[in-house]
Amino acid sequence: MAQKNLADYMQEQLAGARRNLALSAIDFSIPDEKILELRESVRREAADVQRLKKKKGFLGFLGL
């Protein structure tokens, strides 16, 4: 159950990071440095979600 909640949380974080990045692409008043930070944030969140999916798939039967 905790894994499912963590997966849901990570998916929400990724969706939020993507949403912020998309909004920054429309709003030209946001500095380039901030856009680069947002892009990196999306990459980190996506990597975390992928890592969680791999862990769940590979060790899911152990309940870890």
Side-chain angles (χ1 to χ4, degrees), residues 3-21 41-42 45-46 48-49 52-53:
Q3 280 292 76
K4 182 162 178 50
N5 291 336
L6 182 58
D8 291 340
Y9 173 75
M10 294 305 296
Q11 288 287 359
E12 289 173 9
Q13 291 292 90
L14 178 59
R18 285 183 175 164
R19 190 172 30 256
N20 287 340
L21 183 60
S41 170
V42 170
E45 295 295 335
D48 288 345
V49 168
L52 182 64
K53 284 182 180 179

Side-chain angles (χ1 to χ4, degrees), residues 19-30 34-35 38:
R19 190 172 30 256
N20 287 340
L21 183 60
L23 291 174
S24 69
I26 296 170
D27 186 0
F28 295 109
S29 66
I30 297 176
K34 181 66 176 174
I35 292 174
L38 290 170

Side-chain angles (χ1 to χ4, degrees), residues 38-61:
L38 290 170
R39 287 179 64 193
E40 184 58 33
S41 170
V42 170
R43 284 188 185 120
R44 277 193 312 267
E45 295 295 335
D48 288 345
V49 168
Q50 288 300 326
R51 182 182 46 78
L52 182 64
K53 284 182 180 179
K54 285 181 184 178
K55 181 178 178 182
K56 183 178 178 187
F58 182 68
L59 300 174
F61 67 93

